[in-house]
Amino acid sequence: MADTLEVIEGCRLPVLRKNQENEDEWPLAEILSVKEVASRKLYYVHYIDFNKRLDEWVTPDRLDLKKLQLPKKEAKTPTKNGLPGSRPSSPERDVRKSLDLSLQTPTAPPRGKTVPTPKRKAESVSLTTQVPPVTSVPSLPGSTEVTQASVYPSARDSNAFTPKSNSRDDHDQLSVTTNGTSRRLIPSQPGRKRKANCVGTDEKPVQPLPTHSYTLLSAQDSQDSSDGIPSAPRMTGSLVSDRSHDDIITRMKNIDCIELGRHRLKPWYFSPYPQELTALPILYLCEFCLKYLKSLKCLQRHLTKCNLRHPPGNEIYRKGTISFFEIDGRKNKTYSQNLCLLAKCFLDHKTLYYDTDPFLFYVMTEYDSKGFHIVGYFSKEKESTEDYNVACILTLPPYQRRGYGKLLIEFSYELSKVEGKTGTPEKPLSDLGLLSYRSYWSQTILEILMDLKSDNGERPQITINEISEITSVKKEDVISTLQYLNLINYYKGQYILTLSEDIVEGHERAMHKRHLRIDPKCLHFTPKDWSKRGKW
């Protein structure tokens, strides 16, 4: 017992757990909290370099006390001029201080007296997004250059080529591109290295394929995309981006189990439900209004009085058993807040924020004889200056890995198409959200490229703008997806998208498994101009 007393919050030590193969392993873990239940101590541990979903309460017999690491003392704040509590000087701070002095005192102060500088508020720390910033492709053209790119499938057994780099013809070559009835000369890139992974040879022109002809990159495309590097997300919303994980309380799961309809859910993360409910073994939720109750008896009594059999709001889509409801965060504030409380149990990168007025919530449901059961949802700002078409998105665990996540994403872009806008999700994305969006973007763009047909025996061509307009995916996401798939190649003064057989076959397999799709004919949605509606 004396040994266990040495284990305090902040300690690190190996903890016994089962891996996926049900074998014992001892990963390093940090003690986040200690509590005593029935004269026995329990320790809440976070496994270092593991997903936070695995955090749990463990008993002392699972701790390896021989390798106990005591918490390190925090370094003291550096002092300036030997005075405790002052911060170290920096050039930026000195400049600001001098500006403050010049603004406060038009004349120089007398000797021996110091002029107090105004206290500055702590500067906010910008968030790093889980999606890497969109960087310019090394082989993409500059904003003042006009080039063309083609799309064509390559044979798996094709030979690679190495183009000449010192030929005079390389610098003087002019390509002619036909787009409809207009013709224009397109200069090639002087002195630029060319990738050697396209099909064909350097001497012979690429054989034309029976596909459509579009231009991929223009000067405007390149300029627009270069200005679209994602910035830090705005700190607003029903679930806002979390700035830090310093609060131990919010790092610990506080709900053991949630009963929602016929499902019992194990929360992954902290959610700020009322503290008196966190000690209960099961938290009961009404699956239609999402009200939380402390016992099954309270839930049964509530169901006799709850008239809802679907989420409040307008049903704007129905096909088969799948429906979508649009909910105004101002008109249905209680439901929206309860939805955010539930969502926070499964979203770690967000913090609850109770102002739901500026948001719309789109809840996806499955219908049966008992009513419309919630499957997932996404929220969306009524007015977004950053072109966000999704703020938070979640598929509940019982419905994950069944195609509902992509269906939610596809629906968000269908709304953007009706609005005549291009959209992008708010960053940072969760780990599962990032995987879902990358998969959706890849499948959507490949679907566009593979449907292209040749025109007049030329290779099919398409612009970034056209891909963005067809899919409503923002141009930065289109370019980052092409980079992620490694499709862009430079050949003979042209930017060519090469679709290998592996990519084509993988895409066809993925689309064959994707049974759930949004039917635009079943969408009944009229966008509102919220800027003309005054206050929400």
Side-chain angles (χ1 to χ4, degrees):
M1 190 67 179
D3 292 337
T4 59
L5 293 177
E6 298 178 0
V7 182
I8 60 176
E9 294 178 3
C11 287
R12 293 190 175 192
L13 73 171
V15 177
L16 177 64
R17 68 178 297 273
K18 298 287 187 181
N19 58 19
Q20 294 181 351
E21 289 76 23
N22 202 28
E23 299 173 349
D24 292 345
E25 61 179 3
W26 292 84
L28 185 66
E30 178 185 357
I31 304 296
L32 298 184
S33 182
V34 183
K35 69 178 181 180
E36 191 167 342
V37 178
S39 301
R40 188 182 189 186
K41 284 200 172 184
L42 296 177
Y43 303 91
Y44 192 85
V45 298
H46 165 62
Y47 298 102
I48 308 299
D49 297 330
F50 281 71
N51 197 300
K52 283 182 63 178
R53 298 174 205 155
L54 302 177
D55 294 0
E56 60 180 337
W57 289 98
V58 300
T59 53
D61 56 303
R62 294 176 57 183
L63 307 179
D64 186 358
L65 300 176
K66 297 178 182 179
K67 299 181 180 179
L68 179 66
Q69 303 175 14
L70 295 177
K72 297 180 181 179
K73 294 183 179 180
E74 296 182 358
K76 295 183 179 179
T77 304
T79 60
K80 178 184 175 184
N81 300 329
L83 299 176
S86 61
R87 292 180 295 175
S89 178
S90 66
E92 182 183 2
R93 192 161 182 249
D94 289 339
V95 170
R96 291 184 180 179
K97 183 176 179 181
S98 63
L99 290 175
D100 293 339
L101 289 175
S102 63
L103 289 175
Q104 286 186 5
T105 57
T107 59
R111 289 187 179 181
K113 295 183 180 181
T114 58
V115 179
T117 57
K119 295 182 179 179
R120 296 194 304 139
K121 294 183 180 180
E123 296 181 359
S124 59
V125 182
S126 61
L127 286 171
T128 56
T129 62
Q130 295 185 11
V131 177
V134 179
T135 57
S136 59
V137 186
S139 59
L140 288 181
S143 59
T144 59
E145 301 163 354
V146 184
T147 60
Q148 76 167 9
S150 304
V151 184
Y152 66 94
S154 64
R156 181 177 299 174
D157 55 351
S158 302
N159 296 324
F161 71 93
T162 305
K164 298 177 182 179
S165 59
N166 56 357
S167 174
R168 183 176 179 181
D169 293 337
D170 284 346
H171 300 278
D172 300 333
Q173 175 186 3
L174 289 177
S175 304
V176 180
T177 302
T178 304
N179 188 358
T181 58
S182 63
R183 297 170 62 88
R184 56 182 174 180
L185 296 180
I186 298 179
S188 62
Q189 297 295 310
R192 188 183 289 268
K193 294 182 180 179
R194 298 176 177 176
K195 295 186 178 180
N197 54 355
C198 294
V199 179
T201 63
D202 194 31
E203 302 298 332
K204 297 180 181 180
V206 180
Q207 294 298 324
L209 297 176
T211 45
H212 275 299
S213 178
Y214 296 89
T215 305
L216 177 62
L217 287 176
S218 66
Q220 183 179 2
D221 290 334
S222 187
Q223 185 175 3
D224 292 346
S225 61
S226 63
D227 296 335
I229 298 176
S231 57
R234 288 200 311 130
M235 300 302 296
T236 59
S238 54
L239 291 178
V240 301
S241 301
D242 194 4
R243 283 190 177 273
S244 69
H245 294 283
D246 294 335
D247 189 357
I248 294 295
I249 295 177
T250 60
R251 294 178 64 186
M252 298 168 50
K253 285 179 282 192
N254 58 336
I255 305 293
D256 290 332
C257 182
I258 291 178
E259 183 170 303
L260 180 68
R262 60 181 179 270
H263 301 291
R264 284 197 173 180
L265 315 178
K266 281 285 187 181
W268 297 346
Y269 309 110
F270 170 87
S271 183
Y273 279 102
Q275 191 171 0
E276 60 270 17
L277 301 179
T278 59
L280 300 175
I282 300 177
L283 179 63
Y284 295 89
L285 266 62
C286 172
E287 63 175 327
F288 300 114
C289 71
L290 302 183
K291 181 178 180 179
Y292 45 84
L293 303 117
K294 63 181 180 180
S295 67
L296 180 59
K297 189 173 183 179
C298 292
L299 175 63
Q300 293 171 344
R301 189 184 303 118
H302 166 79
L303 291 177
T304 60
K305 297 179 286 185
C306 182
N307 297 322
L308 280 179
R309 287 299 174 265
H310 59 77
N314 299 323
E315 185 182 12
I316 61 174
Y317 179 89
R318 181 188 292 188
K319 184 176 182 180
T321 59
I322 301 296
S323 292
F324 278 86
F325 291 82
E326 182 184 55
I327 297 158
D328 191 326
R330 182 184 67 84
K331 295 180 180 179
N332 304 103
K333 187 170 295 188
T334 301
Y335 180 90
S336 301
Q337 291 178 351
N338 288 338
L339 178 60
C340 292
L341 281 170
L342 174 62
K344 181 61 190 71
C345 292
F346 307 99
L347 295 173
D348 180 41
H349 64 298
K350 299 287 185 178
T351 300
L352 194 64
Y353 187 69
Y354 283 95
D355 183 15
T356 60
D357 289 12
F359 281 78
L360 296 169
F361 297 84
Y362 295 90
V363 179
M364 180 169 63
T365 63
E366 261 190 348
Y367 174 77
D368 62 15
S369 59
K370 295 183 179 180
F372 295 80
H373 308 279
I374 181 171
V375 171
Y377 90 106
F378 67 88
S379 58
K380 175 181 178 179
E381 287 181 291
K382 294 176 180 176
E383 288 186 279
S384 175
T385 57
E386 296 88 351
D387 294 330
Y388 292 144
N389 63 353
V390 166
C392 293
I393 186 168
L394 172 71
T395 303
L396 292 175
Y399 300 95
Q400 291 180 358
R401 302 184 66 84
R402 292 165 58 180
Y404 289 114
K406 281 195 181 69
L407 199 66
L408 281 167
I409 296 173
E410 186 178 4
F411 188 78
S412 69
Y413 282 108
E414 286 297 329
L415 297 183
S416 296
K417 291 177 183 178
V418 176
E419 294 171 340
K421 301 176 181 178
T422 59
T424 186
E426 183 177 327
K427 315 299 189 303
L429 292 168
S430 65
D431 51 355
L432 295 179
L434 177 61
L435 291 174
S436 297
Y437 266 96
R438 273 184 175 168
S439 177
Y440 173 80
W441 289 332
S442 299
Q443 292 180 8
T444 302
I445 294 174
L446 288 174
E447 194 172 22
I448 297 296
L449 299 181
M450 292 177 62
D451 285 344
L452 295 176
K453 297 179 181 179
S454 64
D455 187 16
N456 299 327
E458 298 181 357
R459 289 192 302 272
Q461 300 169 350
I462 191 170
T463 66
I464 293 291
N465 271 336
E466 287 172 334
I467 296 177
S468 183
E469 290 172 2
I470 294 171
T471 62
S472 282
V473 177
K474 204 171 184 181
K475 281 183 273 189
E476 291 77 31
D477 296 329
V478 173
I479 294 176
S480 66
T481 303
L482 294 176
Q483 288 179 275
Y484 175 73
L485 296 174
N486 196 24
L487 299 183
I488 302 177
N489 298 281
Y490 184 73
Y491 174 56
K492 282 187 172 293
Q494 300 177 346
Y495 291 90
I496 301 174
L497 301 183
T498 307
L499 306 183
S500 66
E501 287 189 4
D502 291 339
I503 291 178
V504 173
E505 292 174 1
H507 172 72
E508 291 176 348
R509 286 195 301 267
M511 297 305 294
H512 183 70
K513 297 178 182 178
R514 190 172 163 186
H515 303 293
L516 295 175
R517 298 298 299 268
I518 294 295
D519 186 355
K521 297 178 182 178
C522 300
L523 176 62
H524 305 282
F525 170 70
T526 303
K528 302 178 181 65
D529 188 357
W530 296 99
S531 62
K532 297 181 180 179
R533 289 175 168 255
K535 292 187 177 180
W536 299 303

